[in-house]
Structure formats: structure tokens, C-alpha cells
Amino acid sequence: MLKKKTALFISVLLITFQLSCTAANNDISPTLNKDAFDGFTITPAKISLEGYEYKKGNRKIISFNNCKQVLDYNISDIAGHDYFRFKLLLVSCKAINKYKTAKSSNKSFFPSVIKNRHYKDFPALATPFLSKTEYKQRENKTIKQAYKSLKVTSKKNTATLITKEDEIYITILARGDFNNDKIEDLLVSSEWYAKNAHGKHTDLVILSKTGKDKAIKIDWRMNTIK
């Protein structure tokens, strides 16, 4: 009888240990928002591009079939009217490269669905800036603190921010651990357009949040201040 009780006790301990290990190793796998990559064919085997053609400064047409070609190309050779369109492709390719480095995370302090109010809490510098002055003005502020008369709408991982002077799009491209701290981060692209002028710009950032009550921080960005 004693042997049976001992065996039962050991079995219960093993089951409890296995359940606790399962909970501890409940990794969150990286995810890619494939819908945000128009013209990309994304499979586990390879990533290719379709229909991406641009005019060079000498008016000749150049086409790109993969991201390595895009990343290696000298953007200054692209014709002016195609420059921004090429920059958008460059952002997408850099995002794909970043996603390849993402690891699984143990926890996340970002909600599974990013809603309007969450975008407002993003750092104001997650959106493109044009100068050191603008950078300083938005430093250490959230989007809702930096932009006046702000209207935010969102759908399928993309938010539209409308202010008196700006139209901004923020898209969640991927989720995963990009900085090796076992906490999930967001890979986010942004596009800025001046409503009353011809200005436009784009950028790519990694956002991190290390605690429930912690502010969202920019861990990495594509465009830096020169």
C-alpha cells in the first residue's frame, strides 16, 4: 500500500513539474504581417519580388527581383519622381531582414490587437522627422502629447493619424524579440505626408515595452540624425 501511495505521489509531482515547465516555456513565436508586403512572395524557402520597376536618372528602367538587389542599390541613381516609391520598397526589404533576426519571446506587454488608444501611446518619434529641431520637439513625448487635433483610426495593423497639417500611416510589420531580452517587440513602419504641401517621408523602427506600466521606447530606427 505504501509503495502505491509513493508511486502516486511521484506521479503527481512529475505531472506538476511538466505543467510548470510547459507554462515556463510557453514561447511566443515571431509573426510577420504578410499583408503589408504587396508584391512580395513570401514562403519558408525564399522571398521574391514581383513587378517592382523604377526609372533611373538616365531614364532607363531597372527592375528588382529580390531584396538583396534593393539593399545593395545606390538610391541616388533612382529618378527623382521614383525616389519615394523606391524608399518605401527599401523600408520593406529592411523590415524583412530585421524579421529574419527575430527570436521567440517569453512574454509580451503589447496587446494582441493594437487599437487606436495604443497607437496614441507610441513614441512621437516613431513617426518620420525631418530635422534636428523637429526631433527635439518630439523627444520624450508620446504621439498624443506631440500632435494637436489628432484623429486616429485603425484597421488590420495599420493606423491613420490625421492632424491639422499631417497625414501619417503607422503599420505593424512584425512582432518578435529583436533585442534578445525575451520580451516581444514591434517592428513598425511609418509614412508621413504633408496635407498642404508636397512633403513626404518614411521610416522604420523597433518598439520595445519591458513592463505593464513602462513607456514604449524606440530600440532601433532606420533613419538617424546626421
Side-chain angles (χ1 to χ4, degrees), residues 140-185:
N140 299 320
K141 292 181 180 179
T142 63
I143 283 176
K144 66 185 176 186
Q145 292 170 336
Y147 291 99
K148 296 180 180 180
S149 305
L150 178 66
K151 180 182 178 181
V152 180
T153 58
S154 58
K155 185 179 181 181
K156 293 184 178 180
N157 291 310
T158 295
T160 302
L161 284 61
I162 302 296
T163 72
K164 186 177 181 180
E165 299 176 346
D166 311 300
E167 187 170 329
I168 303 165
Y169 299 91
I170 299 176
T171 301
I172 311 298
L173 298 180
R175 302 174 73 126
D177 177 18
F178 292 96
N179 56 13
N180 298 316
D181 64 357
K182 291 295 184 180
I183 302 174
E184 188 179 59
D185 309 302

Side-chain angles (χ1 to χ4, degrees), residues 33-98:
N33 176 16
K34 293 182 180 180
D35 291 339
F37 296 86
D38 291 335
F40 281 62
T41 300
I42 302 174
T43 68
K46 70 172 187 175
I47 298 172
S48 57
L49 309 179
E50 298 176 2
Y52 278 99
E53 293 185 343
Y54 301 85
K55 279 192 176 181
K56 299 169 65 175
N58 59 10
R59 298 185 179 182
K60 290 183 178 180
I61 300 294
I62 182 169
S63 61
F64 296 91
N65 301 310
N66 59 65
C67 276
K68 185 179 187 309
Q69 294 173 343
V70 176
L71 295 169
D72 290 345
Y73 194 76
N74 184 356
I75 191 173
S76 63
D77 288 341
I78 297 292
H81 68 275
D82 261 352
Y83 185 90
F84 184 70
R85 193 166 65 90
F86 182 83
K87 193 74 179 286
L88 293 175
L89 177 60
L90 184 63
V91 166
S92 294
C93 284
K94 289 203 174 190
I96 289 291
N97 270 12
K98 277 292 179 183

